[in-house]
Amino acid sequence: MPGVRRKPGLFERGTPGLVVLLCYGGIFLFAINEHGGLHFMQAELLDEKWLFHAVTTRRGGVSLEPFDSLNVGLHVGDKLDHVLENRKRVCAAAGYDLQAWVSGEQVHGARCYHVKDSDAGRSAFDYTTSVPATDVLITQTPGILLACLVADCVPVFLADPVQRAVGVAHCGWQGTLAGAVRVAVQTMCQVFGSTPADLVAVLGPSIGPCCYEVSEELARRFQKEFGADVALGRMLDLRLANRRLLSAAGLSSDAIHTAPWCTKCQQDLFFSHRGSGGKTGRMAALIGVRQAGVV
């Protein structure tokens, strides 16, 4: 891309971008980078040495159809040894041990859980150890890797560079209506002393308004809650609804970036629950505070 420049240090911890789809003002905003043979989506807004973040793609794993190949979901019917191998590859590429992994049960709600040292490994090896009925995770503990599993729903990363705290929210239509990202912001402010104006947010790959058709009743509910332009007919824009929740929670619009990929449109790269008819794998939206001296 002639004339496009990279922010100094952008994605230096990975191989230069395999795919770059969005840039603004000469700065790359999103890229898919290679780490240890795997491809991770990463965002310029979260390119900080004190944290790690990434969204996995479906490439580079050992799972067979219809979970091919980097499925990291323990709850979708894939072989356990395949999922664990995939998770180990992901964590190794990210610079973590699988024991650092923590994820919630994800029931399409808005419950937020503060993850501490003692929670390390919850759901890493066994789905029954997931944080119960939880779709939002936050932490300030170095060495913990928060994991949100998605295959169309919007994963929302939050980071506070002042308090060095992070969070991730799983936002399908139910979690969005329940205000999962609003709860995430409020809880980070209560627990860590965060200020909304200091927070940054990244919305990862998800089903786009081009492909997300819902009932007329649900479209009207979203229009009433978030504005008429959040749905065009029955085509719903979950990303826009969550951006508006974040803005209403006090984040600056410049501090909210949205990945351009639609998971249903690009099933060669991402898992899509709708695109596959309900039988597919899961990507992981990962974020964590790095331990001192780890880059």
Side-chain angles (χ1 to χ4, degrees):
M1 270 185 211
V4 175
R5 61 189 175 88
R6 299 188 78 154
K7 174 183 175 182
L10 179 60
F11 307 138
E12 289 301 324
R13 289 169 290 285
T15 303
L18 170 72
V19 180
V20 176
L21 288 186
L22 185 62
C23 69
Y24 177 78
I27 298 294
F28 288 127
L29 299 186
F30 292 92
I32 294 179
N33 290 312
E34 183 178 340
H35 292 254
L38 304 184
H39 297 142
F40 291 164
M41 185 230 79
Q42 296 179 295
E44 182 272 338
L45 192 63
L46 296 176
D47 185 49
E48 300 285 348
K49 290 186 177 181
W50 65 271
L51 68 82
F52 172 83
H53 81 286
V55 179
T56 62
T57 70
R58 67 182 301 163
R59 299 176 181 174
V62 299
S63 292
L64 306 177
E65 293 183 3
F67 310 110
D68 51 319
S69 63
L70 193 64
N71 167 49
V72 295
L74 286 170
H75 62 299
V76 297
D78 195 1
K79 291 183 178 180
L80 176 62
D81 58 337
H82 287 176
V83 179
L84 293 181
E85 174 61 24
N86 289 340
R87 289 186 172 197
K88 288 174 183 176
R89 292 185 181 192
V90 167
C91 288
Y96 287 81
D97 186 89
L98 182 52
Q99 182 61 36
W101 181 295
V102 178
S103 51
E105 186 182 3
Q106 295 187 194
V107 294
H108 296 280
R111 179 175 182 262
C112 181
Y113 183 78
H114 177 199
V115 178
K116 306 178 185 67
D117 269 327
S118 57
D119 295 302
R122 297 189 69 170
S123 194
F125 304 92
D126 181 351
Y127 181 69
T128 65
T129 65
S130 303
V131 182
T134 296
D135 288 82
V136 183
L137 300 170
I138 61 172
T139 194
Q140 202 176 29
T141 303
I144 290 289
L145 191 61
L146 306 181
C148 169
L149 305 186
V150 289
D152 281 339
C153 292
V154 186
V156 180
F157 292 122
L158 287 164
D160 180 350
V162 177
Q163 301 297 335
R164 295 207 168 184
V166 297
V168 65
H170 168 246
C171 303
W173 71 262
Q174 294 173 81
T176 301
L177 283 175
V181 292
R182 178 177 61 243
V183 171
V185 172
Q186 291 172 345
T187 309
M188 288 182 73
C189 292
Q190 293 166 2
V191 175
F192 306 132
S194 297
T195 300
D198 292 330
L199 294 176
V200 297
V202 168
L203 284 65
S206 62
I207 194 166
C210 51
C211 292
Y212 194 26
E213 186 174 3
V214 299
S215 68
E216 291 182 3
E217 179 185 359
L218 185 58
R220 286 195 295 269
R221 285 179 65 186
F222 267 82
Q223 288 175 320
K224 182 178 179 180
E225 184 72 24
F226 301 104
D229 58 343
V230 80
L232 180 60
R234 294 171 56 185
M235 306 308 290
L236 179 61
D237 192 341
L238 267 185
R239 303 165 178 177
L240 179 58
N242 280 285
R243 286 185 64 94
R244 290 193 171 155
L245 278 171
L246 290 163
S247 294
L251 275 72
S252 164
S253 59
D254 292 338
I256 308 169
H257 290 181
T258 305
W261 293 273
C262 170
T263 46
K264 187 178 178 183
C265 284
Q266 293 180 269
Q267 293 179 64
D268 61 321
L269 192 58
F270 303 109
F271 293 111
S272 171
H273 185 266
R274 284 206 166 201
S276 67
K279 192 71 171 178
T280 193
R282 296 293 186 273
M283 293 96 65
L286 305 164
I287 191 165
V289 179
R290 292 180 182 274
Q291 292 179 317
V294 177
V295 177

